[in-house]
Amino acid sequence: SFDLARRPLALGGFHGLCVTSNGCGIQRVETGETLYNNTLCNRDVRKLLEIALRADVHVMAKTAAFGVFCRPLYKDVARPESDEMRAKWPPEQRPTFYMTETIEEMLAKLGEQTQTVSFHKKNAQEMFPGWLYDEVISQGEFSLTSSFAGGLDLEITPPDSGKRNGVIRLAQMMGVRQEEVMACGDHVNDLGMLRWAGIGVVMGDAD
């Protein structure tokens, strides 16, 4: 969970270390303390937001503790199943999101702590403009992944991030050998992690 700092897993009896869902951070389960944090600098985030503005796509940026929207970059891409799932969570465990009015306000809220910038589209019939990928790649060293089948989103993270690298770093910190690692996943962005682990398990309802 990218919101581990607000709701430590220790509340459920878990202990140890946890890699964040985007592979950009490692946190202590009991307290939410960040032990490793791989982030995008604000200069790069600004470039990505300017690209999104030209492409007319929905954007969310996330730190280890919260997500931030910007009204000029906010489109209605809410998915009913996601809203239904979040509604079942106790209020104190729901992720924290902020809406800002300008790109400048968004950058100020994020500080230098941005782990992920996500571009979204409403459905698979809508395509990201072809130039968008080339433009993103030309702006710097980024890792690009998609969390949803059909390419409904594009997640942009710092170099050496992603779940595979996050799990490798976590195993090193815990002194666990590759062959001792079991990874479970259900999305396309889990593939690298599943292939690296000694045992990779694909969930029955995977995309």
Side-chain angles (χ1 to χ4, degrees):
S1 168
F2 72 87
D3 208 23
L4 184 60
R6 242 180 93 249
R7 46 190 179 93
L9 288 174
L11 296 175
F14 292 91
H15 302 279
L17 303 180
C18 174
V19 62
T20 55
S21 58
N22 54 25
C24 291
I26 292 176
Q27 296 170 318
R28 193 174 300 284
V29 168
E30 292 88 346
T31 62
E33 175 193 2
T34 298
L35 304 178
Y36 173 80
N37 196 23
N38 190 8
T39 61
L40 295 164
C41 69
N42 260 11
R43 182 183 66 253
D44 286 339
V45 175
R46 181 188 295 277
K47 292 176 184 176
L48 295 172
L49 297 180
E50 289 171 352
I51 292 170
L53 199 59
R54 285 191 282 127
D56 193 32
V57 296
H58 174 76
V59 175
M60 179 177 68
K62 293 191 298 189
T63 71
F66 55 83
V68 184
F69 298 103
C70 178
R71 203 167 298 281
L73 293 167
Y74 186 83
K75 315 293 178 186
D76 181 15
V77 296
R79 298 181 177 88
E81 65 274 14
S82 299
D83 292 340
E84 184 179 326
M85 179 182 69
R86 279 192 290 267
K88 294 178 181 178
W89 294 359
E92 68 276 8
Q93 293 187 9
R94 292 173 190 167
T96 301
F97 296 100
Y98 298 98
M99 175 65 78
T100 59
E101 297 300 321
T102 66
I103 287 178
E104 293 300 328
E105 186 183 342
M106 184 181 196
L107 291 169
K109 186 70 180 177
L110 292 165
E112 294 286 346
Q113 298 299 311
T114 307
Q115 289 187 344
T116 307
V117 174
S118 299
F119 294 174
H120 296 267
K121 54 186 178 178
K122 191 172 180 64
N123 55 62
Q125 283 67 50
E126 296 181 11
M127 301 290 292
F128 289 127
W131 57 264
L132 183 145
Y133 299 95
D134 291 337
E135 187 76 7
V136 168
I137 292 170
S138 73
Q139 293 301 318
E141 295 284 332
F142 303 119
S143 294
L144 307 181
T145 58
S146 177
S147 296
F148 293 94
L152 288 174
D153 73 336
L154 178 65
E155 287 196 350
I156 305 159
T157 52
D160 300 321
S161 57
K163 294 188 179 183
R164 178 182 182 275
N165 289 327
V167 170
I168 290 173
R169 192 170 286 110
L170 180 65
Q172 291 171 342
M173 292 179 70
M174 297 183 72
V176 177
R177 298 192 304 272
Q178 181 177 357
E179 59 269 24
E180 296 177 312
V181 174
M182 175 185 286
C184 304
D186 61 354
H187 282 301
V188 291
N189 65 341
D190 296 323
L191 286 174
M193 171 185 71
L194 295 173
R195 289 169 176 155
W196 179 84
I199 300 175
V201 179
V202 178
M203 310 303 289
D205 60 350
D207 292 335

